[in-house]
Amino acid sequence: MMEEEELEFVEELEAVLQLTPEVQLAIEQVFPSQDPLDRADFNAVEYINTLFPTEQSLANIDEVVNKIRLKIRRLDDNIRTVVRGQTNVGQDGRQVKEITRDIKQLDHAKRHLTTSITTLNHLHMLAGGVDSLEAMTRRRQYGEVANLLQGVMNVLEHFHKYMGIPQIRQLSERVKAAQTELGQQILADFEEAFPSQGTKRPGGPSNVLRDACLVANILDPRIKQEIIKKFIKQHLSEYLVLFQENQDVAWLDKIDRRYAWIKRQLVDYEEKYGRMFPREWYMTERIAVEFCHVTRTELAKIMRTRAKEIEVKLLLFAIQRTTNFEGFLAKRFSGCTLTDGTLKKLESPPASTNPFLEDEPASEMEELATEKGDLDQPKKPKAPDNPFHGIVSKCFEPHLYVYIESQDKNLGELIDRFVADFKAQGPPKPNTDEGGAVLPSCADLFVYYKKCMVQCSQLSTGEPMIALTTIFQKYLREYAWKILSGNLPKTTTSSGGLTISSLLKEKEGSEVAKFTLEELCLICSILSTAEYCLATTQQLEEKLKEKVDVSLIERINLTGEMDTFSTVISSSIQLLVQDLDAACDPALTAMSKMQWQNVEHVGDQSPYVTSVILHIKQNVPIIRDNLASTRKYFTQFCIKFANSFIPKFITHLFKCKPISMVGAEQVR
């Protein structure tokens, strides 16, 4: 019975102590053992059989039992020790917390002590630095002051939260006082070296002034600005004397001398004072910029006084020299000191034979081709902006009315020359191989327009461009009236101005006032010219909008002028239609007056049909060949003629008298 109970206990114990293979493997790796009692698959029966393999071995059973009991006691002692050790963990934890708290207190004390030592060191540095700063200031040791002052100011920043302490506040006030004294002293030194009145001190700059500039970099920015302002003013004082308003060299015809003077001064500055001022002050550029501001003011003043003496050639000369100088500045300087912002520069336009698809310099205008080109040429990228563009030349803008008036006069003379040339040379000679030629005068007109537009946009992109646009509109209309509409051919029976309804009338008998070959070619040439002017005027409008200020774009509108050229095109087509239509009228009249009741035999072709075909064969090929470059308008001519001739033919057909019965029978 006892053995059964022991076996059940062993089985239950094995069930309780059953571990997973992973845990068992981990235990074996941590605590390796060769003892069979430590094996996971321990079998008590096999273990006993191992201890007592034979009956004779049972004689040692007491000894074996004692060893096992001893082992059990050792295990109990180990377990007891571990359990007791766990009871002391809480007490040990409390001891550790106390130690940690003490360590934290020590850390805080160390941190505070370190901060105190650092602050005391800073205070010592500040106190010593202020004393040294005051002494160096009195001795004008600006080189040492520049290094020391920055350090003192950096150290003083650490004491901003301690300004309530009287000693700290006193040191701060001494630093501010030293800065104020330094600023006043440096300004006085520069005033002595470069007095506002009188000549500059001979010789180059001293090391004292160079070091003083380093100190000014640290002081209030107003000190630096005052130094720059006084130096530049003194440097340009000679310029104001040499180019006073009452001096001969001050007028526009000698404007080159102004720019030559400043170039010499910039070279002189670089040689004498280039190393005195820090590079980041950009003193050379500042001198040039201030010169530009002074020059613009002086030129504006003298031009207001002598406005009546300004002629267009003189004005353009002065503007050209000024823009060249502005280009010189753009190549040499970056423009980083400008305060008025970057002024807009004209962009580089794309290349094309059409005058308004390409913006060449004004001096290269004569090289442009005068034939029509592709209107869809790719555009070139914009050229880099010139930050100095307009910094001086803006002063000429109020006087550009002189330029506009000159262009008005020139364009008027140009139109008169076109009219005179047409009268002297006559209409272009018919050339069916080349088609209807565009009048060369229109290409000359738009090339001149382009030259004016480029020139004016380089002078101003404001109101003067609007005024120039108005001039363009005026002479586009005059060209359409005087050169195109005014030269459309008229018949001998027409009198007065051009009236389409009165152009074509019958002469005596059956003959009509029919256009000659030369007149037909002229009409086609005028039509082609009007079509070219229409397309190029649209390009002109687009280019003007690109050049003018954004706020003025809506005031650029050439729709009325384009409509004028469209009217010339319509009138030309109508002339061609009415000429051919009138030429066919006698044949239609003959058809309607024919005594059809007397017709007894049907021929191959009636005489009136032969006459109509003859006129069509005479006119249509000539018109087709001369409108080869404007095919859509030849198509319009054909449609308009058909729409005019067919209803007229039907009307005359209804006027015909009945044919004879014999004739009708033959027709059937």
Side-chain angles (χ1 to χ4, degrees):
M1 187 68 178
M2 181 65 72
E3 292 180 356
E4 292 179 358
E5 292 178 355
E6 290 180 353
L7 289 175
E8 291 177 359
F9 173 76
V10 170
E11 291 176 357
E12 292 177 0
L13 184 61
E14 289 179 353
V16 172
L17 296 178
Q18 190 69 31
L19 302 176
T20 62
E22 293 81 3
V23 175
Q24 187 64 40
L25 179 61
I27 293 174
E28 291 177 357
Q29 291 176 351
V30 177
F31 303 105
S33 174
Q34 301 296 328
D35 192 343
L37 296 174
D38 295 332
R39 295 177 58 85
D41 55 351
F42 174 74
N43 190 312
V45 177
E46 292 182 358
Y47 180 69
I48 293 173
N49 290 333
T50 302
L51 295 177
F52 306 102
T54 61
E55 294 182 2
Q56 290 77 8
S57 60
L58 292 175
N60 299 325
I61 189 171
D62 293 334
E63 182 180 356
V64 172
V65 171
N66 290 333
K67 290 181 179 179
I68 293 175
R69 287 176 177 173
L70 178 61
K71 192 170 186 178
I72 291 173
R73 282 198 298 272
R74 290 176 179 172
L75 289 173
D76 289 339
D77 292 340
N78 292 336
I79 293 172
R80 189 180 302 108
T81 301
V82 171
V83 172
R84 289 176 178 175
Q86 292 297 321
T87 59
N88 296 329
V89 169
Q91 183 178 357
D92 293 341
R94 286 190 294 274
Q95 291 177 354
V96 171
K97 287 183 179 180
E98 292 176 358
I99 294 172
T100 304
R101 184 173 62 251
D102 294 340
I103 292 173
K104 288 182 178 180
Q105 291 177 352
L106 291 174
D107 285 341
H108 287 306
K110 178 182 178 182
R111 189 179 304 111
H112 294 327
L113 181 60
T114 302
T115 303
S116 300
I117 294 173
T118 303
T119 303
L120 289 174
N121 287 335
H122 286 166
L123 182 60
H124 176 72
M125 293 168 57
L126 181 61
V130 172
D131 292 337
S132 300
L133 182 63
E134 293 172 341
M136 293 176 181
T137 300
R138 290 190 294 270
R139 294 193 295 268
R140 284 179 166 78
Q141 296 176 330
Y142 295 132
E144 292 79 358
V145 168
N147 296 325
L148 179 60
L149 179 59
Q150 187 63 60
V152 168
M153 294 176 64
N154 292 338
V155 171
L156 189 59
E157 292 180 0
H158 295 283
F159 291 94
H160 282 170
K161 55 185 177 181
Y162 303 117
M163 286 301 170
I165 302 174
Q167 292 81 357
I168 302 298
R169 186 168 59 252
Q170 183 181 6
L171 287 173
S172 176
E173 292 173 354
R174 289 175 62 188
V175 171
K176 292 180 180 178
Q179 289 178 299
T180 303
E181 182 180 356
L182 276 169
Q184 295 174 352
Q185 187 171 292
I186 290 173
L187 290 176
D189 291 344
F190 270 93
E191 179 65 25
E192 180 182 356
F194 306 100
S196 301
Q197 302 295 332
T199 58
K200 293 179 285 186
R201 188 177 65 178
S206 65
N207 293 334
V208 174
L209 295 181
R210 183 179 61 213
D211 294 338
C213 292
L214 299 178
V215 177
N217 259 341
I218 307 171
L219 297 176
D220 191 316
R222 288 176 293 183
I223 302 298
K224 169 186 170 182
Q225 294 169 4
E226 188 67 19
I227 293 173
I228 294 174
K229 179 180 177 181
K230 287 188 175 182
F231 179 84
I232 294 178
K233 182 179 180 181
Q234 196 278 340
H235 213 69
L236 296 178
S237 59
E238 178 185 350
Y239 173 69
L240 294 174
V241 174
L242 292 175
F243 294 90
Q244 286 184 17
E245 186 176 350
N246 58 356
Q247 297 295 322
D248 183 59
V249 293
W251 189 229
L252 301 181
D253 59 342
K254 296 180 177 60
I255 198 170
D256 281 339
R257 298 190 183 183
R258 294 177 180 267
Y259 305 132
W261 182 90
I262 188 59
K263 291 178 182 179
R264 291 194 302 270
Q265 291 300 311
L266 294 178
V267 173
D268 179 71
Y269 166 81
E270 290 288 353
E271 293 177 352
K272 294 182 179 180
Y273 308 104
R275 297 184 180 180
M276 183 174 73
F277 295 101
R279 184 179 297 273
E280 63 271 16
W281 286 21
Y282 302 102
M283 286 298 294
T284 310
E285 180 176 324
R286 291 183 186 276
I287 293 172
V289 170
E290 183 61 23
F291 166 84
C292 292
H293 294 324
V294 171
T295 301
R296 183 173 63 187
T297 302
E298 293 298 314
L299 287 175
K301 183 167 59 176
I302 194 172
M303 283 191 291
R304 283 195 302 269
T305 305
R306 304 172 62 177
K308 295 181 179 179
E309 301 178 37
I310 301 177
E311 298 177 353
V312 64
K313 290 184 178 180
L314 179 62
L315 181 65
L316 293 180
F317 167 79
I319 293 174
Q320 183 63 42
R321 293 297 188 270
T322 301
T323 53
N324 289 345
F325 175 70
E326 291 171 348
F328 161 78
L329 295 180
K331 292 178 181 179
R332 183 167 181 182
F333 305 118
S334 64
C336 61
T337 64
L338 293 174
T339 57
D340 297 333
T342 302
L343 300 175
K344 180 182 177 182
K345 183 185 177 183
L346 301 177
E347 64 182 67
S348 298
S352 170
T353 55
N354 188 298
F356 298 103
L357 297 180
E358 175 182 44
D359 286 346
E360 298 286 344
S363 60
E364 300 177 6
M365 295 295 298
E366 292 75 15
E367 299 179 5
L368 294 172
T370 56
E371 297 181 358
K372 288 196 296 182
D374 186 4
L375 299 182
D376 298 321
Q377 294 291 332
K379 292 188 176 182
K380 296 179 181 177
K382 290 185 178 181
D385 288 340
N386 174 3
F388 296 93
H389 179 67
I391 191 171
V392 179
S393 56
K394 273 287 182 181
C395 67
F396 298 109
E397 187 166 326
H399 304 276
L400 287 179
Y401 68 88
V402 177
Y403 173 79
I404 301 300
E405 291 174 355
S406 172
Q407 297 308 322
D408 188 4
K409 179 181 177 182
N410 293 340
L411 283 169
E413 294 175 353
L414 187 65
I415 294 295
D416 292 341
R417 180 167 64 84
F418 290 160
V419 173
D421 289 347
F422 193 91
K423 290 181 179 179
Q425 300 172 6
K429 302 301 180 182
N431 190 340
T432 56
D433 294 334
E434 297 181 0
V438 174
L439 297 179
S441 58
C442 77
D444 295 340
L445 176 67
F446 282 109
V447 167
Y448 191 85
Y449 269 23
K450 178 184 176 337
K451 175 182 177 181
C452 296
M453 180 184 67
V454 172
Q455 208 171 44
C456 186
S457 62
Q458 291 173 344
L459 307 179
S460 171
T461 56
E463 287 294 335
M465 284 290 290
I466 300 299
L468 184 66
T469 301
T470 303
I471 299 299
F472 285 172
Q473 292 174 303
K474 173 184 176 182
Y475 289 103
L476 283 174
R477 292 191 297 268
E478 286 203 13
Y479 186 85
W481 296 333
K482 294 183 178 181
I483 308 300
L484 301 183
S485 294
N487 286 310
L488 283 173
K490 306 173 181 61
T491 62
T492 57
T493 58
S494 63
S495 60
L498 174 65
T499 304
I500 298 299
S501 60
S502 64
L503 285 176
L504 304 172
K505 293 183 178 179
E506 293 184 1
K507 291 184 179 180
E508 296 179 358
S510 61
E511 295 182 357
V512 296
K514 192 169 183 294
F515 289 141
T516 63
L517 171 62
E518 290 77 10
E519 290 174 328
L520 288 176
C521 293
L522 174 60
I523 295 174
C524 293
S525 180
I526 290 177
L527 190 155
S528 299
T529 302
E531 189 270 339
Y532 173 79
C533 291
L534 174 63
T536 313
T537 300
Q538 183 177 1
Q539 294 289 341
L540 172 63
E541 181 183 76
E542 294 173 358
K543 284 299 176 183
L544 286 170
K545 289 182 177 181
E546 289 181 12
K547 302 298 183 186
V548 79
D549 291 340
V550 177
S551 60
L552 301 176
I553 288 179
E554 294 183 357
R555 295 173 60 182
I556 304 291
N557 188 349
L558 303 184
T559 303
E561 289 64 42
M562 288 186 276
D563 291 343
T564 300
F565 290 117
S566 296
T567 301
V568 174
I569 294 173
S570 299
S571 299
S572 301
I573 294 175
Q574 192 65 23
L575 271 178
L576 296 174
V577 170
Q578 291 194 9
D579 175 61
L580 182 57
D581 197 34
C584 296
D585 278 348
L588 297 179
T589 302
M591 179 188 73
S592 62
K593 292 181 178 181
M594 187 174 180
Q595 300 298 322
W596 290 98
Q597 67 273 15
N598 297 329
V599 175
E600 297 182 356
H601 300 282
V602 178
D604 183 28
Q605 183 173 283
S606 301
Y608 67 86
V609 174
T610 302
S611 177
V612 169
I613 293 175
L614 177 63
H615 288 304
I616 291 177
K617 286 185 176 181
Q618 286 178 344
N619 283 30
V620 172
I622 296 174
I623 297 172
R624 179 196 61 205
D625 294 340
N626 280 273
L627 295 181
S629 59
T630 54
R631 183 61 63 183
K632 62 180 180 180
Y633 294 118
F634 173 71
T635 302
Q636 288 187 25
F637 158 76
C638 294
I639 294 173
K640 286 180 179 292
F641 174 72
N643 291 338
S644 173
F645 177 77
I646 293 176
K648 186 181 293 187
F649 175 80
I650 294 174
T651 300
H652 281 78
L653 187 63
F654 280 109
K655 293 180 180 180
C656 294
K657 297 179 181 180
I659 62 177
S660 65
M661 296 302 295
V662 177
E665 187 65 27
Q666 290 182 355
V667 171
R668 285 196 295 271

